[in-house]
Amino acid sequence: MKKKKIFVVAGARPNFMKIAPIVRALDASRAFETSIVHTGQHYDHNMSGSFFAELGIRRPDYNLEVGSGSHAFQTAAVMMKFEEICLKGQPDYVMVVGDVNSTIAAGLVAKKLSATLIHVEAGLRSGDRLMPEEINRLATDAITDIFFTTEKGATGNLVSAGCSPGQVHFVGNVMIDNLFYQLGRLEEAAVSDEVAALKERLCGRYICLTMHRPSNVDNPEVLETILASVGELAREVPVLFPCHPRTRKNITRFGLDGYLSEAGINGGAVEQGFLCMPPLGYNDFLYLWKDAALVITDSGGLQEETTALEIPCLTIRENTERPVTVEVGSNLIVGSDSDRLKAESRKALSGRWKPCAVPELWDGRSGERIKMVLEGSCGI
């Protein structure tokens, strides 16, 4: 049987985590000739390049190197460059993941060139059309042929919108596949000496913070409110803050550096302090947050990963497109309410967290289920 060509597209940090288990599964299939397309939407080494080695993904077959820019610029640049390689490579399938600009850009090109479009993590909805990611999700799902969902609520969203149930496949969460795979490799995987030394100096409980969404970091009042609230907590326990470049730039631009400290980075026990550091590779950050008493984030991926490990998570957003993490998981939405952020943080630190469970099919085998569905579509 002639192998079907499939282009797997990744562009931003969360995409790399999602494609890793899928590529491993597809590479083991006799049905597909799989090519990895890295759009270059995230181009800094700590934000993309190092991930390929850490996640066990082979080097991309194509790198479009689009770089940063506005939503319109990135989307257009990916479309133009992706079209070139599709015209040459003639893929039968194009797989996109998540909800970034690369997702919708590659999807539009695929459909206009008559390739079968596959969307992994389809059907998720926040209900907030002010989020660029929500527009990407809606637009991508409007043109997708094969949908893979992470939770039953997402399946319901798609069927309610008119998608044929036969097109929609509830397979679980590939992000959790990757999490379990990496946890199993942490002993042998390279964790930086600096991060390992920092963790050794932490005295008991600590918090991990990530923050990058424009709604939090582009508004000086909102950003200061969050930093001030977390800063209060940092006087009680250490707060580890691998800082996204956009966030770090705005903290300085808005004159908010005073909320951060470098205490404890260079020797000695770390008992408190708001410790800002550069972005970390996946394994380094996993090594830290997997043992945290609490994670505070605006990241969709961390909402899922903390739920899988039943670690208390406070989401500093007004909504989530991953409601199962709140419904059965360890996640709680606190928005920008500083009093609630501090109160719920102290509940987590004192061990008084809500009952939680791991969602259905978040078992580390989603990549294999995707492979089996696609093989079935090829008659295998």
Side-chain angles (χ1 to χ4, degrees):
M1 184 190 79
K2 183 180 178 181
K3 289 188 175 183
K4 297 285 188 179
K5 290 185 178 181
I6 181 167
F7 281 6
V8 179
V9 181
R13 181 174 181 143
N15 295 167
F16 307 143
M17 305 172 197
K18 294 165 190 172
I19 71 166
I22 299 170
V23 169
R24 285 194 294 268
L26 291 178
D27 279 348
S29 173
R30 60 189 178 89
F32 301 105
E33 177 187 325
T34 305
S35 296
I36 301 173
V37 180
H38 177 13
T39 69
Q41 182 175 329
H42 279 175
Y43 55 92
D44 177 83
H45 182 72
N46 281 333
M47 298 293 281
S48 65
S50 63
F51 276 30
F52 287 100
E54 288 187 353
L55 302 181
I57 308 172
R58 54 187 168 80
R59 292 181 63 85
D61 299 275
Y62 304 95
N63 192 330
L64 307 186
E65 299 182 330
V66 300
S68 62
S70 69
H71 291 285
F73 175 87
Q74 278 191 333
T75 303
V78 171
M79 288 183 70
M80 289 188 292
K81 294 189 174 186
F82 187 58
E83 182 182 52
E84 290 180 17
I85 64 171
C86 284
L87 289 171
K88 292 177 183 177
Q90 295 291 309
D92 300 290
Y93 297 88
V94 170
M95 177 182 288
V96 296
V97 296
D99 52 22
V100 297
N101 292 334
S102 296
T103 305
I104 181 57
L108 285 168
V109 171
K111 288 309 299 173
K112 293 193 175 187
L113 295 179
S114 301
T116 298
L117 179 61
I118 304 162
H119 187 198
V120 176
E121 202 181 73
L124 295 178
R125 300 289 183 267
S126 69
D128 181 1
R129 294 200 178 199
L130 295 178
M131 290 180 64
E133 296 88 351
E134 183 78 347
I135 303 304
N136 290 340
R137 287 188 283 266
L138 289 163
T140 302
D141 285 341
I143 58 174
T144 290
D145 298 297
I146 301 175
F147 304 85
F148 290 114
T149 64
T150 60
E151 55 185 83
K152 287 185 175 179
T155 300
N157 290 337
L158 293 168
V159 174
S160 296
C163 298
S164 167
Q167 295 175 280
V168 184
H169 307 274
F170 171 45
V171 294
N173 195 332
V174 291
M175 183 73 96
I176 307 310
D177 290 24
N178 175 69
L179 171 64
F180 290 166
Y181 179 82
Q182 293 304 122
L183 282 170
R185 295 177 68 235
L186 267 188
E187 293 276 335
E188 61 189 66
V191 175
S192 73
D193 292 342
E194 183 181 29
V195 167
L198 173 60
K199 188 170 181 178
E200 284 185 8
R201 295 198 298 274
L202 292 171
C203 299
R205 303 164 305 159
Y206 59 92
I207 296 170
C208 285
L209 167 70
T210 75
M211 178 170 51
H212 72 282
R213 292 192 180 273
S215 58
N216 283 329
V217 307
D218 288 357
N219 182 309
E221 289 78 18
V222 172
L223 181 56
E224 183 170 19
T225 295
I226 295 171
L227 292 176
S229 300
V230 177
E232 284 190 39
L233 297 170
R235 292 196 285 271
E236 302 169 24
V237 297
V239 176
L240 309 183
F241 183 24
C243 196
H244 190 285
R246 176 195 187 105
T247 308
R248 193 68 187 86
K249 179 181 177 181
N250 283 348
I251 288 172
T252 298
R253 181 159 70 100
F254 300 146
L256 303 175
D257 290 282
Y259 286 103
L260 308 177
S261 76
E262 302 298 331
I265 292 295
N266 296 310
V270 182
E271 298 180 355
Q272 62 183 39
F274 200 157
L275 310 181
C276 183
M277 59 192 75
L280 297 176
Y282 184 83
N283 286 334
D284 276 353
F285 189 46
L286 173 59
Y287 184 69
L288 292 175
W289 74 255
K290 74 181 182 69
D291 296 313
L294 170 67
V295 172
I296 302 173
T297 189
D298 58 11
S299 161
L302 264 176
Q303 291 175 56
E304 295 175 325
E305 291 180 306
T306 50
T307 287
L309 298 187
E310 300 186 58
I311 294 172
C313 175
L314 292 177
T315 296
I316 42 178
R317 288 167 47 185
E318 301 302 324
N319 48 57
T320 181
E321 66 283 355
R322 294 161 168 85
V324 73
T325 64
V326 176
E327 291 164 5
V328 304
S330 56
N331 186 25
L332 193 64
I333 307 296
V334 296
S336 56
D337 184 332
S338 60
D339 290 336
R340 191 172 183 214
L341 172 61
K342 289 181 286 187
E344 296 295 344
S345 294
R346 292 184 173 109
K347 281 185 185 178
L349 293 171
S350 65
R352 296 179 292 115
W353 199 245
K354 64 172 184 169
C356 56
V358 178
E360 185 179 359
L361 296 187
W362 289 25
D363 57 4
R365 300 186 62 243
S366 300
E368 284 295 323
R369 294 187 191 100
I370 289 171
K371 181 191 77 168
M372 291 172 62
V373 170
L374 294 178
E375 286 179 338
S377 75
C378 297
I380 293 180

